[in-house]
Amino acid sequence: MDQDSHCAAERELLEAVSRITTSSTTSPSDEEENQPKAEISCQVRKENPEKDDTQDSSATLSPNSSMTTKELQEYWRNEKRQCKQIKLLFEIPSTRIVEHHLSKYVMYKIIILQTGSFDSNKSVIERRYSDFEKLHRNLLEEFSEEMEDVTFPKKALTGNFTEEIINERKLAFKDYLRLLYSMKYIRRSKKFIDFLTRPELQEAYGCLRGGQYTKALEILLEVIGLQERLTRGNAVAIVPTLCAIVVCHKDLENPASAFEYGEKALSRLRVHSSHRYYIPLLETMITLAYELGKDFLSLQEKLEEWKTKKDPIRIFTLKELAVREYVR
């Protein structure tokens, strides 16, 4: 590339970065007016100063004429990635009718996709009409004002299993979930997150308590991705699930995989040493590190440091904590 072309490329990149930087300084009121209700990752960073501290330093560089073309390209990519729109889409492509003893009901297959990123993973769950009905009732109790204009498909006295009614409800429930997710306080609420994850987690922990570690692990690995998407910005929300995965891998004699997920959980607890999972997780990680021939001295130092600051109390093991989750 000759010098003129090189300079022209730099000028184009500078202009692109300038546009991104200008748009990121929009006033809060303008942002509220112009952005869709779906979550924006750069908004999450403002609400999470802790997360800001861990951002790559290259993302905080200010564009200037001394930056090389390669540096400007990297800066532009980081800015675009961090301000990318992130939201979940809900699809209900199919249903199935379940007949169980004296009961008969329709199960709606819900596919949850994430857009605005390169993540192509999807989560698939099933819920019945009564599950949606319970969610609506619970949300009305906590978010009466936000739910004022949200309509819910009423139960028909007859014809609930006709193709016409089922198709109408598929569309209605899809719009219902989309609308709930568009409201920030509702999509972050425990009741909404529980609706989408709790049945699967209850099944997984039931398998774990019964010693069915392979089945428990299979379910946990399916639900962890959805949990992460739903609890974005809440670092410790998925720690129990990560630790349950550690327990399953450890009991299935997969120490390397157990250690990998343990590191993910510990990274989320680095400023939450008072969390009930912190010490049991540290103790488990020390054992795993020793077994794998990894350096465990830093983990041991953290454990000793905690013990000098806290009064000695009975600490459950990681497995003991895990089997207590989702006990009815």
Side-chain angles (χ1 to χ4, degrees), residues 198-222 244-245 247-248 251-252 319 322-328:
R198 189 177 181 88
E200 287 72 24
L201 288 171
Q202 284 179 325
E203 182 183 0
Y205 279 98
C207 291
L208 193 157
R209 283 189 289 274
Q212 302 175 38
Y213 302 114
T214 301
K215 180 63 175 177
L217 183 60
E218 178 185 336
I219 300 170
L220 291 168
L221 291 175
E222 286 180 359
I245 292 173
V247 169
C248 289
D251 280 25
L252 289 169
K319 188 172 183 177
V323 298
R324 283 168 168 75
E325 295 284 346
Y326 293 93
V327 176
R328 299 190 183 206

Side-chain angles (χ1 to χ4, degrees), residues 239-250:
V239 165
T241 306
L242 288 171
C243 288
I245 292 173
V246 172
V247 169
C248 289
H249 274 306
K250 189 172 183 296

Side-chain angles (χ1 to χ4, degrees), residues 30 88 143 246:
D30 289 340
L88 298 182
F143 304 101
V246 172

